Amino acid sequence: MTAIYKKEMRTYFTHMMGYVFLAIMLLLVGIFFSTETIGRHNPNFHMVLFNITTFFFVLVPVLTMRLFSEEARQKTDQLLFTSPLSVMQIVLGKFLAAFSLFLVGTVVTVVLPLMVRSYGELPVSQIVGTYVAFLLIGAASIAVGVFISVLTDNQIIAAIATMGAIFLMFIMETVALLMPVTTVASLIFVGVLVLGVAAVLYNSTRNIIVAVIVALLGAGAVAGLYFLGVLAFDGVIIRVLQWLSIFARFNNFALGMLNIGDIVYYISFAALFVYLTANVIEKRRWR
């Protein structure tokens, strides 16, 4: 894993991609710092970082679009996948390299809140919470970008797909409010989720029996909950989509509340997409 990590970090700075990412990120930070903090004489730095998260759909593809798609285009992926390294080591090496570059850009911005102490006392807990949220959302977004990169051998397609996925996650709360709240729609939605989980399980294990058992158990649980209390399904689409929004929890951190549940959510979200990426590669490795 260390070899992959070093290779990717070296590539970021020998092909200009790392410099482009840092330049865009720090330019955006400078713009929002000037308008939100200096312009409004506001020592709270959380709005600057929140505004930067709205541009993750631009920043993250720069980090992730070439990680696997370039390997596939140059036909070096087969050499990589037949190396002594495990698939998870390969994926983690690339993911951690992308996150490390993101971390470097984030650390550089730490000096900015210290520059505005003359405007008032710094809300340390809120600033720390905001940085934690910023890094966690970044990790989750990068994991999505890495997963999309492994699905194609075209960097442009990987970049556009990653932009679309992250933008969709950003507007997820708004989309949720447009969803139907009826019980019938909720039952259909939950049924599709159960089938989706069973399909992913089958795709991962190729064990049809396990997948069918999971699907039947899920269907049984849905039926049981329906007959025990129909109202429990009203608005379930909205609740699920809001729960899936990785940006919805930012305000909790910005208030200085480091909720363990929120932290576990982000770590689990990133881990899921790292696992899915490894799963895709594993199938190709033994094809």
Side-chain angles (χ1 to χ4, degrees), residues 63-99:
L63 282 176
T64 63
M65 64 183 185
R66 50 155 294 280
L67 287 176
F68 284 104
S69 58
E70 183 67 8
E71 299 273 9
R73 188 184 69 82
Q74 295 181 348
K75 307 301 182 183
T76 58
D77 55 335
Q78 294 305 315
L79 292 174
L80 183 65
F81 300 155
T82 55
S83 68
L85 296 173
S86 70
V87 170
M88 188 57 70
Q89 287 177 318
I90 294 171
V91 176
L92 283 176
K94 288 178 175 287
F95 169 78
L96 291 175
F99 181 73

PDB file of all heavy atoms in Angstrom, residues 63-99:
ATOM      1  N   LEU A  63      -9.108  15.478  -8.160  1.00  0.00           N
ATOM      2  CA  LEU A  63      -8.319  14.538  -7.371  1.00  0.00           C
ATOM      3  C   LEU A  63      -8.473  13.099  -7.825  1.00  0.00           C
ATOM      4  O   LEU A  63      -7.518  12.320  -7.793  1.00  0.00           O
ATOM      5  CB  LEU A  63      -8.739  14.620  -5.894  1.00  0.00           C
ATOM      6  CG  LEU A  63      -8.224  15.781  -5.044  1.00  0.00           C
ATOM      7  CD1 LEU A  63      -8.841  15.700  -3.658  1.00  0.00           C
ATOM      8  CD2 LEU A  63      -6.715  15.755  -4.951  1.00  0.00           C
ATOM      9  N   THR A  64      -9.675  12.720  -8.240  1.00  0.00           N
ATOM     10  CA  THR A  64      -9.981  11.292  -8.390  1.00  0.00           C
ATOM     11  C   THR A  64     -10.150  10.792  -9.818  1.00  0.00           C
ATOM     12  O   THR A  64     -10.081   9.580 -10.045  1.00  0.00           O
ATOM     13  CB  THR A  64     -11.277  10.957  -7.625  1.00  0.00           C
ATOM     14  OG1 THR A  64     -12.374  11.682  -8.211  1.00  0.00           O
ATOM     15  CG2 THR A  64     -11.155  11.327  -6.157  1.00  0.00           C
ATOM     16  N   MET A  65     -10.349  11.673 -10.783  1.00  0.00           N
ATOM     17  CA  MET A  65     -10.776  11.213 -12.108  1.00  0.00           C
ATOM     18  C   MET A  65      -9.747  10.309 -12.788  1.00  0.00           C
ATOM     19  O   MET A  65     -10.098   9.457 -13.605  1.00  0.00           O
ATOM     20  CB  MET A  65     -11.098  12.405 -13.014  1.00  0.00           C
ATOM     21  CG  MET A  65      -9.928  13.305 -13.325  1.00  0.00           C
ATOM     22  SD  MET A  65     -10.462  14.713 -14.335  1.00  0.00           S
ATOM     23  CE  MET A  65      -8.874  15.507 -14.659  1.00  0.00           C
ATOM     24  N   ARG A  66      -8.469  10.469 -12.460  1.00  0.00           N
ATOM     25  CA  ARG A  66      -7.440   9.696 -13.156  1.00  0.00           C
ATOM     26  C   ARG A  66      -6.951   8.488 -12.353  1.00  0.00           C
ATOM     27  O   ARG A  66      -6.181   7.682 -12.878  1.00  0.00           O
ATOM     28  CB  ARG A  66      -6.223  10.579 -13.471  1.00  0.00           C
ATOM     29  CG  ARG A  66      -5.689  11.375 -12.292  1.00  0.00           C
ATOM     30  CD  ARG A  66      -4.231  11.706 -12.455  1.00  0.00           C
ATOM     31  NE  ARG A  66      -3.425  10.507 -12.417  1.00  0.00           N
ATOM     32  CZ  ARG A  66      -3.064   9.888 -11.291  1.00  0.00           C
ATOM     33  NH1 ARG A  66      -3.463  10.346 -10.109  1.00  0.00           N
ATOM     34  NH2 ARG A  66      -2.315   8.808 -11.336  1.00  0.00           N
ATOM     35  N   LEU A  67      -7.375   8.322 -11.134  1.00  0.00           N
ATOM     36  CA  LEU A  67      -6.784   7.316 -10.255  1.00  0.00           C
ATOM     37  C   LEU A  67      -6.825   5.914 -10.854  1.00  0.00           C
ATOM     38  O   LEU A  67      -5.815   5.198 -10.859  1.00  0.00           O
ATOM     39  CB  LEU A  67      -7.477   7.337  -8.886  1.00  0.00           C
ATOM     40  CG  LEU A  67      -7.144   8.541  -7.995  1.00  0.00           C
ATOM     41  CD1 LEU A  67      -7.957   8.488  -6.713  1.00  0.00           C
ATOM     42  CD2 LEU A  67      -5.647   8.583  -7.687  1.00  0.00           C
ATOM     43  N   PHE A  68      -7.987   5.494 -11.338  1.00  0.00           N
ATOM     44  CA  PHE A  68      -8.092   4.176 -11.960  1.00  0.00           C
ATOM     45  C   PHE A  68      -8.349   4.267 -13.458  1.00  0.00           C
ATOM     46  O   PHE A  68      -7.934   3.385 -14.213  1.00  0.00           O
ATOM     47  CB  PHE A  68      -9.210   3.359 -11.295  1.00  0.00           C
ATOM     48  CG  PHE A  68      -8.831   2.818  -9.950  1.00  0.00           C
ATOM     49  CD1 PHE A  68      -9.322   3.404  -8.797  1.00  0.00           C
ATOM     50  CD2 PHE A  68      -7.982   1.735  -9.826  1.00  0.00           C
ATOM     51  CE1 PHE A  68      -8.970   2.913  -7.540  1.00  0.00           C
ATOM     52  CE2 PHE A  68      -7.624   1.243  -8.581  1.00  0.00           C
ATOM     53  CZ  PHE A  68      -8.121   1.829  -7.440  1.00  0.00           C
ATOM     54  N   SER A  69      -9.049   5.308 -13.900  1.00  0.00           N
ATOM     55  CA  SER A  69      -9.366   5.414 -15.324  1.00  0.00           C
ATOM     56  C   SER A  69      -8.109   5.549 -16.169  1.00  0.00           C
ATOM     57  O   SER A  69      -8.020   4.987 -17.274  1.00  0.00           O
ATOM     58  CB  SER A  69     -10.292   6.615 -15.569  1.00  0.00           C
ATOM     59  OG  SER A  69      -9.701   7.817 -15.121  1.00  0.00           O
ATOM     60  N   GLU A  70      -7.099   6.254 -15.657  1.00  0.00           N
ATOM     61  CA  GLU A  70      -5.852   6.403 -16.393  1.00  0.00           C
ATOM     62  C   GLU A  70      -5.106   5.082 -16.470  1.00  0.00           C
ATOM     63  O   GLU A  70      -4.492   4.750 -17.498  1.00  0.00           O
ATOM     64  CB  GLU A  70      -4.982   7.462 -15.728  1.00  0.00           C
ATOM     65  CG  GLU A  70      -3.675   7.773 -16.456  1.00  0.00           C
ATOM     66  CD  GLU A  70      -3.863   8.436 -17.796  1.00  0.00           C
ATOM     67  OE1 GLU A  70      -5.008   8.808 -18.121  1.00  0.00           O
ATOM     68  OE2 GLU A  70      -2.874   8.576 -18.526  1.00  0.00           O
ATOM     69  N   GLU A  71      -5.163   4.308 -15.394  1.00  0.00           N
ATOM     70  CA  GLU A  71      -4.539   2.983 -15.405  1.00  0.00           C
ATOM     71  C   GLU A  71      -5.188   2.103 -16.478  1.00  0.00           C
ATOM     72  O   GLU A  71      -4.497   1.385 -17.212  1.00  0.00           O
ATOM     73  CB  GLU A  71      -4.694   2.313 -14.036  1.00  0.00           C
ATOM     74  CG  GLU A  71      -4.053   3.049 -12.876  1.00  0.00           C
ATOM     75  CD  GLU A  71      -2.590   2.676 -12.681  1.00  0.00           C
ATOM     76  OE1 GLU A  71      -2.038   1.981 -13.544  1.00  0.00           O
ATOM     77  OE2 GLU A  71      -2.011   3.105 -11.671  1.00  0.00           O
ATOM     78  N   ALA A  72      -6.522   2.181 -16.573  1.00  0.00           N
ATOM     79  CA  ALA A  72      -7.236   1.379 -17.562  1.00  0.00           C
ATOM     80  C   ALA A  72      -6.926   1.845 -18.982  1.00  0.00           C
ATOM     81  O   ALA A  72      -6.764   1.025 -19.894  1.00  0.00           O
ATOM     82  CB  ALA A  72      -8.740   1.444 -17.297  1.00  0.00           C
ATOM     83  N   ARG A  73      -6.835   3.139 -19.177  1.00  0.00           N
ATOM     84  CA  ARG A  73      -6.567   3.679 -20.510  1.00  0.00           C
ATOM     85  C   ARG A  73      -5.178   3.276 -20.998  1.00  0.00           C
ATOM     86  O   ARG A  73      -4.989   2.948 -22.169  1.00  0.00           O
ATOM     87  CB  ARG A  73      -6.700   5.195 -20.505  1.00  0.00           C
ATOM     88  CG  ARG A  73      -6.622   5.840 -21.888  1.00  0.00           C
ATOM     89  CD  ARG A  73      -6.666   7.349 -21.797  1.00  0.00           C
ATOM     90  NE  ARG A  73      -5.445   7.884 -21.193  1.00  0.00           N
ATOM     91  CZ  ARG A  73      -4.306   8.088 -21.861  1.00  0.00           C
ATOM     92  NH1 ARG A  73      -4.216   7.772 -23.143  1.00  0.00           N
ATOM     93  NH2 ARG A  73      -3.241   8.571 -21.249  1.00  0.00           N
ATOM     94  N   GLN A  74      -4.215   3.306 -20.095  1.00  0.00           N
ATOM     95  CA  GLN A  74      -2.842   2.968 -20.470  1.00  0.00           C
ATOM     96  C   GLN A  74      -2.562   1.462 -20.406  1.00  0.00           C
ATOM     97  O   GLN A  74      -1.438   1.032 -20.674  1.00  0.00           O
ATOM     98  CB  GLN A  74      -1.862   3.707 -19.553  1.00  0.00           C
ATOM     99  CG  GLN A  74      -1.893   5.219 -19.702  1.00  0.00           C
ATOM    100  CD  GLN A  74      -0.896   5.914 -18.792  1.00  0.00           C
ATOM    101  OE1 GLN A  74      -0.325   5.312 -17.892  1.00  0.00           O
ATOM    102  NE2 GLN A  74      -0.675   7.200 -19.038  1.00  0.00           N
ATOM    103  N   LYS A  75      -3.590   0.685 -20.034  1.00  0.00           N
ATOM    104  CA  LYS A  75      -3.477  -0.783 -19.930  1.00  0.00           C
ATOM    105  C   LYS A  75      -2.460  -1.218 -18.876  1.00  0.00           C
ATOM    106  O   LYS A  75      -1.901  -2.321 -18.956  1.00  0.00           O
ATOM    107  CB  LYS A  75      -3.080  -1.388 -21.290  1.00  0.00           C
ATOM    108  CG  LYS A  75      -3.973  -0.986 -22.450  1.00  0.00           C
ATOM    109  CD  LYS A  75      -5.416  -1.389 -22.225  1.00  0.00           C
ATOM    110  CE  LYS A  75      -6.285  -1.014 -23.417  1.00  0.00           C
ATOM    111  NZ  LYS A  75      -7.718  -1.336 -23.195  1.00  0.00           N
ATOM    112  N   THR A  76      -2.227  -0.359 -17.902  1.00  0.00           N
ATOM    113  CA  THR A  76      -1.330  -0.739 -16.802  1.00  0.00           C
ATOM    114  C   THR A  76      -2.110  -1.319 -15.623  1.00  0.00           C
ATOM    115  O   THR A  76      -1.517  -1.732 -14.637  1.00  0.00           O
ATOM    116  CB  THR A  76      -0.518   0.476 -16.317  1.00  0.00           C
ATOM    117  OG1 THR A  76      -1.420   1.521 -15.906  1.00  0.00           O
ATOM    118  CG2 THR A  76       0.381   1.002 -17.420  1.00  0.00           C
ATOM    119  N   ASP A  77      -3.438  -1.315 -15.748  1.00  0.00           N
ATOM    120  CA  ASP A  77      -4.254  -1.814 -14.642  1.00  0.00           C
ATOM    121  C   ASP A  77      -4.054  -3.314 -14.425  1.00  0.00           C
ATOM    122  O   ASP A  77      -4.090  -3.793 -13.296  1.00  0.00           O
ATOM    123  CB  ASP A  77      -5.731  -1.498 -14.867  1.00  0.00           C
ATOM    124  CG  ASP A  77      -6.245  -2.024 -16.199  1.00  0.00           C
ATOM    125  OD1 ASP A  77      -5.433  -2.191 -17.123  1.00  0.00           O
ATOM    126  OD2 ASP A  77      -7.463  -2.257 -16.307  1.00  0.00           O
ATOM    127  N   GLN A  78      -3.832  -4.057 -15.525  1.00  0.00           N
ATOM    128  CA  GLN A  78      -3.640  -5.505 -15.371  1.00  0.00           C
ATOM    129  C   GLN A  78      -2.350  -5.817 -14.609  1.00  0.00           C
ATOM    130  O   GLN A  78      -2.302  -6.742 -13.796  1.00  0.00           O
ATOM    131  CB  GLN A  78      -3.605  -6.171 -16.752  1.00  0.00           C
ATOM    132  CG  GLN A  78      -4.936  -6.099 -17.488  1.00  0.00           C
ATOM    133  CD  GLN A  78      -6.081  -6.674 -16.684  1.00  0.00           C
ATOM    134  OE1 GLN A  78      -5.953  -7.750 -16.091  1.00  0.00           O
ATOM    135  NE2 GLN A  78      -7.203  -5.965 -16.634  1.00  0.00           N
ATOM    136  N   LEU A  79      -1.312  -5.035 -14.872  1.00  0.00           N
ATOM    137  CA  LEU A  79      -0.068  -5.203 -14.111  1.00  0.00           C
ATOM    138  C   LEU A  79      -0.299  -4.908 -12.637  1.00  0.00           C
ATOM    139  O   LEU A  79       0.220  -5.595 -11.753  1.00  0.00           O
ATOM    140  CB  LEU A  79       1.015  -4.278 -14.669  1.00  0.00           C
ATOM    141  CG  LEU A  79       1.542  -4.596 -16.073  1.00  0.00           C
ATOM    142  CD1 LEU A  79       2.505  -3.500 -16.530  1.00  0.00           C
ATOM    143  CD2 LEU A  79       2.229  -5.953 -16.083  1.00  0.00           C
ATOM    144  N   LEU A  80      -1.093  -3.872 -12.386  1.00  0.00           N
ATOM    145  CA  LEU A  80      -1.381  -3.472 -11.012  1.00  0.00           C
ATOM    146  C   LEU A  80      -2.193  -4.544 -10.299  1.00  0.00           C
ATOM    147  O   LEU A  80      -1.892  -4.921  -9.163  1.00  0.00           O
ATOM    148  CB  LEU A  80      -2.138  -2.137 -11.018  1.00  0.00           C
ATOM    149  CG  LEU A  80      -2.460  -1.511  -9.661  1.00  0.00           C
ATOM    150  CD1 LEU A  80      -1.172  -1.130  -8.941  1.00  0.00           C
ATOM    151  CD2 LEU A  80      -3.344  -0.284  -9.840  1.00  0.00           C
ATOM    152  N   PHE A  81      -3.226  -5.052 -10.980  1.00  0.00           N
ATOM    153  CA  PHE A  81      -4.129  -6.001 -10.342  1.00  0.00           C
ATOM    154  C   PHE A  81      -3.530  -7.394 -10.174  1.00  0.00           C
ATOM    155  O   PHE A  81      -4.045  -8.204  -9.409  1.00  0.00           O
ATOM    156  CB  PHE A  81      -5.435  -6.095 -11.137  1.00  0.00           C
ATOM    157  CG  PHE A  81      -6.179  -4.795 -11.242  1.00  0.00           C
ATOM    158  CD1 PHE A  81      -7.050  -4.560 -12.297  1.00  0.00           C
ATOM    159  CD2 PHE A  81      -5.999  -3.795 -10.296  1.00  0.00           C
ATOM    160  CE1 PHE A  81      -7.726  -3.359 -12.402  1.00  0.00           C
ATOM    161  CE2 PHE A  81      -6.663  -2.590 -10.397  1.00  0.00           C
ATOM    162  CZ  PHE A  81      -7.530  -2.373 -11.454  1.00  0.00           C
ATOM    163  N   THR A  82      -2.457  -7.674 -10.925  1.00  0.00           N
ATOM    164  CA  THR A  82      -1.790  -8.976 -10.764  1.00  0.00           C
ATOM    165  C   THR A  82      -0.545  -8.874  -9.890  1.00  0.00           C
ATOM    166  O   THR A  82       0.225  -9.827  -9.790  1.00  0.00           O
ATOM    167  CB  THR A  82      -1.393  -9.541 -12.143  1.00  0.00           C
ATOM    168  OG1 THR A  82      -0.591  -8.575 -12.851  1.00  0.00           O
ATOM    169  CG2 THR A  82      -2.619  -9.875 -12.967  1.00  0.00           C
ATOM    170  N   SER A  83      -0.351  -7.723  -9.275  1.00  0.00           N
ATOM    171  CA  SER A  83       0.790  -7.537  -8.378  1.00  0.00           C
ATOM    172  C   SER A  83       0.539  -8.277  -7.063  1.00  0.00           C
ATOM    173  O   SER A  83      -0.582  -8.693  -6.774  1.00  0.00           O
ATOM    174  CB  SER A  83       0.991  -6.045  -8.104  1.00  0.00           C
ATOM    175  OG  SER A  83      -0.085  -5.540  -7.328  1.00  0.00           O
ATOM    176  N   PRO A  84       1.573  -8.436  -6.254  1.00  0.00           N
ATOM    177  CA  PRO A  84       1.400  -9.144  -4.973  1.00  0.00           C
ATOM    178  C   PRO A  84       0.503  -8.397  -3.985  1.00  0.00           C
ATOM    179  O   PRO A  84       0.076  -8.976  -2.984  1.00  0.00           O
ATOM    180  CB  PRO A  84       2.830  -9.233  -4.425  1.00  0.00           C
ATOM    181  CG  PRO A  84       3.722  -9.045  -5.612  1.00  0.00           C
ATOM    182  CD  PRO A  84       2.988  -8.123  -6.524  1.00  0.00           C
ATOM    183  N   LEU A  85       0.223  -7.140  -4.261  1.00  0.00           N
ATOM    184  CA  LEU A  85      -0.623  -6.363  -3.353  1.00  0.00           C
ATOM    185  C   LEU A  85      -2.060  -6.853  -3.396  1.00  0.00           C
ATOM    186  O   LEU A  85      -2.553  -7.277  -4.446  1.00  0.00           O
ATOM    187  CB  LEU A  85      -0.595  -4.883  -3.746  1.00  0.00           C
ATOM    188  CG  LEU A  85       0.741  -4.145  -3.634  1.00  0.00           C
ATOM    189  CD1 LEU A  85       0.634  -2.754  -4.231  1.00  0.00           C
ATOM    190  CD2 LEU A  85       1.184  -4.070  -2.179  1.00  0.00           C
ATOM    191  N   SER A  86      -2.722  -6.777  -2.268  1.00  0.00           N
ATOM    192  CA  SER A  86      -4.143  -7.101  -2.248  1.00  0.00           C
ATOM    193  C   SER A  86      -4.932  -5.963  -2.884  1.00  0.00           C
ATOM    194  O   SER A  86      -4.444  -4.828  -2.980  1.00  0.00           O
ATOM    195  CB  SER A  86      -4.625  -7.319  -0.811  1.00  0.00           C
ATOM    196  OG  SER A  86      -4.633  -6.088  -0.098  1.00  0.00           O
ATOM    197  N   VAL A  87      -6.135  -6.273  -3.327  1.00  0.00           N
ATOM    198  CA  VAL A  87      -6.981  -5.254  -3.950  1.00  0.00           C
ATOM    199  C   VAL A  87      -7.247  -4.111  -2.983  1.00  0.00           C
ATOM    200  O   VAL A  87      -7.201  -2.937  -3.356  1.00  0.00           O
ATOM    201  CB  VAL A  87      -8.311  -5.884  -4.419  1.00  0.00           C
ATOM    202  CG1 VAL A  87      -9.290  -4.807  -4.843  1.00  0.00           C
ATOM    203  CG2 VAL A  87      -8.062  -6.848  -5.559  1.00  0.00           C
ATOM    204  N   MET A  88      -7.513  -4.441  -1.726  1.00  0.00           N
ATOM    205  CA  MET A  88      -7.810  -3.396  -0.745  1.00  0.00           C
ATOM    206  C   MET A  88      -6.605  -2.496  -0.519  1.00  0.00           C
ATOM    207  O   MET A  88      -6.749  -1.278  -0.322  1.00  0.00           O
ATOM    208  CB  MET A  88      -8.260  -4.034   0.574  1.00  0.00           C
ATOM    209  CG  MET A  88      -8.781  -3.019   1.596  1.00  0.00           C
ATOM    210  SD  MET A  88     -10.156  -2.005   0.972  1.00  0.00           S
ATOM    211  CE  MET A  88     -11.474  -3.226   0.897  1.00  0.00           C
ATOM    212  N   GLN A  89      -5.407  -3.046  -0.557  1.00  0.00           N
ATOM    213  CA  GLN A  89      -4.203  -2.223  -0.417  1.00  0.00           C
ATOM    214  C   GLN A  89      -4.071  -1.247  -1.581  1.00  0.00           C
ATOM    215  O   GLN A  89      -3.696  -0.086  -1.394  1.00  0.00           O
ATOM    216  CB  GLN A  89      -2.961  -3.117  -0.340  1.00  0.00           C
ATOM    217  CG  GLN A  89      -2.800  -3.856   0.976  1.00  0.00           C
ATOM    218  CD  GLN A  89      -1.593  -4.773   0.964  1.00  0.00           C
ATOM    219  OE1 GLN A  89      -1.330  -5.474  -0.036  1.00  0.00           O
ATOM    220  NE2 GLN A  89      -0.852  -4.798   2.055  1.00  0.00           N
ATOM    221  N   ILE A  90      -4.391  -1.697  -2.774  1.00  0.00           N
ATOM    222  CA  ILE A  90      -4.333  -0.834  -3.953  1.00  0.00           C
ATOM    223  C   ILE A  90      -5.328   0.316  -3.817  1.00  0.00           C
ATOM    224  O   ILE A  90      -4.987   1.485  -4.024  1.00  0.00           O
ATOM    225  CB  ILE A  90      -4.627  -1.647  -5.230  1.00  0.00           C
ATOM    226  CG1 ILE A  90      -3.523  -2.678  -5.469  1.00  0.00           C
ATOM    227  CG2 ILE A  90      -4.770  -0.729  -6.436  1.00  0.00           C
ATOM    228  CD1 ILE A  90      -3.838  -3.668  -6.570  1.00  0.00           C
ATOM    229  N   VAL A  91      -6.558  -0.027  -3.461  1.00  0.00           N
ATOM    230  CA  VAL A  91      -7.608   0.991  -3.347  1.00  0.00           C
ATOM    231  C   VAL A  91      -7.295   1.978  -2.227  1.00  0.00           C
ATOM    232  O   VAL A  91      -7.410   3.193  -2.402  1.00  0.00           O
ATOM    233  CB  VAL A  91      -8.980   0.324  -3.112  1.00  0.00           C
ATOM    234  CG1 VAL A  91     -10.058   1.387  -2.883  1.00  0.00           C
ATOM    235  CG2 VAL A  91      -9.355  -0.541  -4.301  1.00  0.00           C
ATOM    236  N   LEU A  92      -6.877   1.449  -1.078  1.00  0.00           N
ATOM    237  CA  LEU A  92      -6.572   2.330   0.049  1.00  0.00           C
ATOM    238  C   LEU A  92      -5.381   3.234  -0.265  1.00  0.00           C
ATOM    239  O   LEU A  92      -5.367   4.409   0.130  1.00  0.00           O
ATOM    240  CB  LEU A  92      -6.285   1.500   1.304  1.00  0.00           C
ATOM    241  CG  LEU A  92      -7.503   0.916   2.016  1.00  0.00           C
ATOM    242  CD1 LEU A  92      -7.067   0.034   3.180  1.00  0.00           C
ATOM    243  CD2 LEU A  92      -8.426   2.030   2.522  1.00  0.00           C
ATOM    244  N   GLY A  93      -4.382   2.706  -0.963  1.00  0.00           N
ATOM    245  CA  GLY A  93      -3.235   3.526  -1.328  1.00  0.00           C
ATOM    246  C   GLY A  93      -3.644   4.723  -2.165  1.00  0.00           C
ATOM    247  O   GLY A  93      -3.212   5.852  -1.930  1.00  0.00           O
ATOM    248  N   LYS A  94      -4.506   4.505  -3.153  1.00  0.00           N
ATOM    249  CA  LYS A  94      -4.964   5.578  -4.025  1.00  0.00           C
ATOM    250  C   LYS A  94      -5.899   6.532  -3.275  1.00  0.00           C
ATOM    251  O   LYS A  94      -5.809   7.753  -3.418  1.00  0.00           O
ATOM    252  CB  LYS A  94      -5.660   4.995  -5.256  1.00  0.00           C
ATOM    253  CG  LYS A  94      -4.693   4.327  -6.239  1.00  0.00           C
ATOM    254  CD  LYS A  94      -5.423   3.730  -7.418  1.00  0.00           C
ATOM    255  CE  LYS A  94      -4.452   3.169  -8.450  1.00  0.00           C
ATOM    256  NZ  LYS A  94      -3.751   4.220  -9.208  1.00  0.00           N
ATOM    257  N   PHE A  95      -6.805   5.963  -2.480  1.00  0.00           N
ATOM    258  CA  PHE A  95      -7.728   6.799  -1.709  1.00  0.00           C
ATOM    259  C   PHE A  95      -6.976   7.694  -0.726  1.00  0.00           C
ATOM    260  O   PHE A  95      -7.245   8.899  -0.630  1.00  0.00           O
ATOM    261  CB  PHE A  95      -8.723   5.911  -0.958  1.00  0.00           C
ATOM    262  CG  PHE A  95      -9.541   6.653   0.071  1.00  0.00           C
ATOM    263  CD1 PHE A  95     -10.609   7.432  -0.306  1.00  0.00           C
ATOM    264  CD2 PHE A  95      -9.210   6.580   1.425  1.00  0.00           C
ATOM    265  CE1 PHE A  95     -11.362   8.131   0.637  1.00  0.00           C
ATOM    266  CE2 PHE A  95      -9.940   7.267   2.371  1.00  0.00           C
ATOM    267  CZ  PHE A  95     -11.030   8.051   1.976  1.00  0.00           C
ATOM    268  N   LEU A  96      -6.029   7.125  -0.001  1.00  0.00           N
ATOM    269  CA  LEU A  96      -5.283   7.892   0.995  1.00  0.00           C
ATOM    270  C   LEU A  96      -4.396   8.959   0.345  1.00  0.00           C
ATOM    271  O   LEU A  96      -4.189  10.029   0.918  1.00  0.00           O
ATOM    272  CB  LEU A  96      -4.436   6.959   1.861  1.00  0.00           C
ATOM    273  CG  LEU A  96      -5.227   6.048   2.809  1.00  0.00           C
ATOM    274  CD1 LEU A  96      -4.298   5.083   3.535  1.00  0.00           C
ATOM    275  CD2 LEU A  96      -6.022   6.876   3.822  1.00  0.00           C
ATOM    276  N   ALA A  97      -3.892   8.686  -0.850  1.00  0.00           N
ATOM    277  CA  ALA A  97      -3.098   9.696  -1.560  1.00  0.00           C
ATOM    278  C   ALA A  97      -3.972  10.897  -1.915  1.00  0.00           C
ATOM    279  O   ALA A  97      -3.583  12.053  -1.700  1.00  0.00           O
ATOM    280  CB  ALA A  97      -2.482   9.091  -2.821  1.00  0.00           C
ATOM    281  N   ALA A  98      -5.166  10.633  -2.447  1.00  0.00           N
ATOM    282  CA  ALA A  98      -6.083  11.717  -2.794  1.00  0.00           C
ATOM    283  C   ALA A  98      -6.497  12.488  -1.545  1.00  0.00           C
ATOM    284  O   ALA A  98      -6.536  13.728  -1.539  1.00  0.00           O
ATOM    285  CB  ALA A  98      -7.313  11.156  -3.505  1.00  0.00           C
ATOM    286  N   PHE A  99      -6.788  11.755  -0.463  1.00  0.00           N
ATOM    287  CA  PHE A  99      -7.197  12.429   0.774  1.00  0.00           C
ATOM    288  C   PHE A  99      -6.041  13.224   1.375  1.00  0.00           C
ATOM    289  O   PHE A  99      -6.250  14.295   1.945  1.00  0.00           O
ATOM    290  CB  PHE A  99      -7.710  11.411   1.793  1.00  0.00           C
ATOM    291  CG  PHE A  99      -8.176  12.035   3.076  1.00  0.00           C
ATOM    292  CD1 PHE A  99      -9.367  12.737   3.128  1.00  0.00           C
ATOM    293  CD2 PHE A  99      -7.406  11.942   4.229  1.00  0.00           C
ATOM    294  CE1 PHE A  99      -9.795  13.340   4.305  1.00  0.00           C
ATOM    295  CE2 PHE A  99      -7.826  12.534   5.411  1.00  0.00           C
ATOM    296  CZ  PHE A  99      -9.020  13.234   5.445  1.00  0.00           C
TER     297      PHE A  99
END
